[in-house]
Amino acid sequence: MIPKIILGKGPQATRRTIGYLFGKGRANEHIDPHLVASWNDFAPDPGRSPHRNPKEVEAQLAAQLDQPVKMLGDKAPKYTVWHCPVRAAPEDPILTDAQWADIARRIVAAAGIAPEGDEEACRWVAVRHAGDHIHIAATLVRQDGRRPRRDHDIRAVQREVRQIEDDYGLRRLNPGDGTAAKRPTSKEHFKARRLGQDATSREILRLRVRRAMAAASTEAEFFTLLEATGVTVRLKLGPSGDALGCNFALPGDTNEQGEPVFYAGSTLAGDLSLPKIRQRLATTAPEPMALRPGNPWHEATTAAERIPHHLALSDDAVAQGQLAALGGALDLLPLTAPVAARAALEQAAVAYERATRSRIAADHASARVLRRSVQAIWKNPAQHGDGAGLAMLLDVALTAVTYAMHWHRIRQHSQQQAAAEQTLIHLQAAYAQITEPVLAGLASRAPSPQTQRRYAHYLQQALPKHAERILADSAWVALATVLAEAEAAGHNPTTILDRALRQRTLDDARSPARALTWRIRRLGERHAPGPRAQAANAHHSAMPATAQRPQEPQTRRR
């Protein structure tokens, strides 16, 4: 059940609110509007007065609600209307009018609008439009002329709604911590439909600003990238001429005067204000030379592979920085992916956005390597044209998101945990679309059966715990192929297998065969050993298998 508090001001605020509640709605969505409860239980009901003009009854109801406000004259508060829509989840049972009336009374009491038993409280009404929601409207002057005590009414209403969900057996929504991005209003949704947009302007802008922030190394580049996507940027300048904030608008999204509708960065999401964008960009400023000359896909994968370690062992600030950097990576990956996988990756990025923020301040500098390597991928995504680079990165991203889900759960970040769970669903779909053709391509270059038996023997000696599962996996042939390619490049297959096993435990891998395939592919593409090392490898290969057996990697404690 979702409540949302809206305040209204102006001399006609109450009349406008009542007119809206008993009208047809902006898209004719109001079905049978009628009162289910009121402050005195006998307020005039425009929806149940068949023998009177409904507009006259609306005016009468608004006048009665407004009476305490009018008595104050010029001393009336700036905001005079408290409006709270309350909507049940789609899967919830249809409640009766009496049940909605009880819910309305509990909400106005929790908010301080009309405490139970207070006969001098504010006047209010609850209007039902359809089976799944009501609107509560109240005037913000008590009948004794005082102001209601509604300190922290948003939190109080949220707490009461969670209890109502339990009492009525409704779907229990995850409590938030105040860091969620602002939801689009119904008005924004209707406008998006009129404009032919799949999402609201607020949601489109949030994604574009996040992507620009993930891709940019400097503030100037950030604004350039935004403008390249069609976003209009308006800076808020201080007396010194320095930019203090920024607003964003989409082309074609205008108000009644034909002017662009601007959204402040902080209203798109809590981490998209200009100061916080600058803080993030400061940790990805370009360096005179590349951080490493290696493959950026490998760099990003190695960095992402460290995220579970940070979530388990680093302090909360570092862990939060890693989560934010992973979010930036997911924002950019759809732009580098094959067309077939883009939709699932975009859905993963949108879902994970909620898991990137909490009340914990992030140490963004700790994730510098991941952000810079993903930026390098975005600038040159074709470096791994067969999709292996993306497959490697998604493989470790799945594990990282799983750890993120656990990290949020033990800190009681309910909404962030749910976001990570949803992200996994979309990432798994994208991973399957990316990896299947890559694995098929590797399998088409499979080494001889004799070579595969030799590698299987190495595997059984090195990893008896997982060997049977790996050899039965459809990805085993692809794993044998990358071992053969690494051996042809001068690597010793047992040595490189040992190194792959020591990188990280396979206990939490969904497919150990695939995980090893990507690790060995990454290790095999690094510089091959020199002549002396190759000679040593040849000698090592000639030794009995029992002498070559590496130690099984020790499972890391969680």
Side-chain angles (χ1 to χ4, degrees):
M1 183 169 284
I2 302 174
K4 182 179 180 181
I5 295 175
I6 306 163
L7 300 182
K9 63 181 179 179
Q12 296 297 318
T14 305
R15 185 68 182 88
R16 287 196 306 269
T17 302
I18 295 300
Y20 168 74
L21 296 183
F22 286 94
K24 295 181 178 180
R26 296 184 176 91
N28 295 318
E29 74 276 18
H30 293 177
I31 302 171
D32 186 26
H34 61 280
L35 288 184
V36 295
S38 66
W39 77 97
N40 58 5
D41 289 330
F42 53 85
D45 185 353
R48 292 290 186 269
S49 301
H51 303 299
R52 297 181 59 189
N53 185 333
K55 294 299 180 183
E56 292 180 357
V57 184
E58 289 177 19
Q60 181 184 3
L61 176 59
Q64 290 188 18
L65 286 167
D66 249 350
Q67 187 176 11
V69 178
K70 299 298 184 184
M71 289 177 62
L72 291 184
D74 294 339
K75 295 182 180 180
K78 178 180 178 181
Y79 291 97
T80 57
V81 173
W82 187 90
H83 178 195
C84 181
V86 185
R87 185 178 298 274
E91 62 269 31
D92 284 339
I94 300 299
L95 302 177
T96 66
D97 280 1
Q99 289 172 321
W100 277 118
D102 175 61
I103 290 169
R105 293 187 182 96
R106 291 174 63 170
I107 288 176
V108 294
I113 296 295
E116 186 176 0
D118 187 347
E119 296 182 357
E120 299 297 325
C122 298
R123 297 184 175 188
W124 60 274
V125 293
V127 180
R128 185 174 187 176
H129 282 154
D132 64 347
H133 73 279
I134 61 171
H135 290 253
I136 304 171
T139 44
L140 290 175
V141 176
R142 291 167 48 86
Q143 295 183 76
D144 58 11
R146 295 185 292 130
R147 311 285 177 84
R149 297 185 62 179
R150 55 181 193 88
D151 297 336
H152 308 295
D153 56 349
I154 296 176
R155 295 181 186 177
V157 168
Q158 289 286 357
R159 286 195 299 270
E160 185 63 27
V161 164
R162 300 290 84 79
Q163 186 60 50
I164 290 170
E165 290 166 346
D166 284 344
D167 294 344
Y168 279 91
L170 307 177
R171 176 189 172 190
R172 185 173 175 85
L173 298 184
N174 295 312
D177 59 0
T179 62
K182 184 178 179 181
R183 293 175 179 269
T185 64
S186 58
K187 183 178 180 181
E188 290 176 57
H189 281 296
F190 296 140
K191 187 174 185 179
R193 293 176 192 171
R194 292 199 306 271
L195 295 176
Q197 297 173 176
D198 294 333
T200 65
S201 296
R202 183 187 301 276
E203 293 165 320
I204 295 171
L205 284 170
R206 183 183 302 133
L207 179 58
R208 292 188 185 180
V209 173
R210 283 178 59 85
R211 280 181 171 169
M213 182 171 63
S217 298
T218 65
E219 187 174 330
E221 185 181 10
F222 167 73
F223 289 126
T224 299
L225 290 172
L226 270 181
E227 291 169 355
T229 64
V231 175
T232 301
V233 179
R234 184 176 67 186
L235 297 178
K236 178 182 178 181
L237 302 179
S240 64
D242 295 332
L244 303 179
C246 53
N247 299 330
F248 310 99
L250 282 180
D253 184 12
T254 57
N255 58 21
E256 295 177 354
Q257 290 73 40
E259 301 167 336
V261 177
F262 282 94
Y263 295 82
S266 58
T267 65
L268 297 179
D271 56 349
L272 296 182
S273 65
L274 185 57
K276 292 189 176 180
I277 289 172
R278 283 172 170 163
Q279 183 184 20
R280 188 83 60 92
L281 293 174
T283 62
T284 49
E287 294 183 339
M289 298 177 62
L291 186 64
R292 287 185 182 180
N295 187 310
W297 287 103
H298 294 175
E299 298 291 344
T301 302
T302 301
E305 209 165 26
R306 295 286 295 167
I307 291 176
H309 169 84
H310 287 299
L311 295 180
L313 301 177
S314 297
D315 63 50
D316 280 359
V318 169
Q320 183 65 58
Q322 297 288 324
L323 296 177
L326 179 59
L330 294 179
D331 286 333
L332 289 182
L333 283 184
L335 306 179
T336 71
V339 175
R342 286 179 188 169
L345 283 175
E346 286 179 351
Q347 290 172 322
V350 171
Y352 187 74
E353 183 266 344
R354 179 66 190 100
T356 62
R357 288 187 306 278
S358 71
R359 288 289 181 184
I360 299 169
D363 177 3
H364 295 297
S366 67
R368 181 183 292 110
V369 174
L370 177 57
R371 285 198 301 278
R372 284 178 171 157
S373 54
V374 171
Q375 288 174 353
I377 290 171
W378 173 74
K379 292 175 181 176
N380 185 21
Q383 189 159 345
H384 258 300
D386 63 352
L390 181 56
M392 293 180 202
L393 185 51
L394 289 181
D395 182 71
V396 299
L398 282 166
T399 302
V401 173
T402 302
Y403 271 73
M405 184 174 63
H406 175 71
W407 189 85
H408 283 305
R409 180 171 61 247
I410 63 178
R411 286 158 183 80
Q412 298 183 341
H413 299 165
S414 301
Q415 291 183 354
Q416 292 90 332
Q417 176 192 339
E421 291 173 353
Q422 191 65 33
T423 303
L424 280 177
I425 296 173
H426 300 305
L427 271 187
Q428 287 165 351
Y431 181 67
Q433 293 170 321
I434 293 294
T435 56
E436 292 307 326
V438 177
L439 293 172
L442 290 171
S444 68
R445 307 194 299 273
S448 66
Q450 181 181 1
T451 301
Q452 291 186 45
R453 286 194 294 271
R454 176 162 57 93
Y455 294 154
H457 178 68
Y458 293 157
L459 187 68
Q460 288 165 338
Q461 293 293 310
L463 198 63
K465 181 179 179 180
H466 295 288
E468 184 177 350
R469 182 182 171 195
I470 292 173
L471 293 172
D473 196 310
S474 59
W476 157 244
V477 179
L479 173 55
T481 300
V482 295
L483 277 168
E485 291 176 349
E487 187 173 21
H491 294 277
N492 181 283
T494 57
T495 302
I496 200 169
L497 180 60
D498 180 31
R499 292 177 62 192
L501 292 173
R502 291 180 183 277
Q503 280 188 343
R504 177 173 167 72
T505 178
L506 292 173
D507 290 342
D508 53 13
R510 289 172 173 78
S511 169
R514 294 187 182 196
L516 281 176
T517 298
W518 309 134
R519 292 183 196 177
I520 291 171
R521 173 76 179 260
R522 196 162 74 248
L523 291 168
E525 290 181 349
R526 294 177 180 174
H527 293 298
R532 291 185 179 180
Q534 290 190 32
N537 286 342
H539 173 71
H540 183 74
S541 298
M543 295 173 62
T546 54
Q548 299 177 28
R549 179 180 177 180
Q551 294 182 353
E552 185 174 346
Q554 189 176 25
T555 301
R556 179 177 54 77
R557 294 179 63 188
R558 301 183 190 176

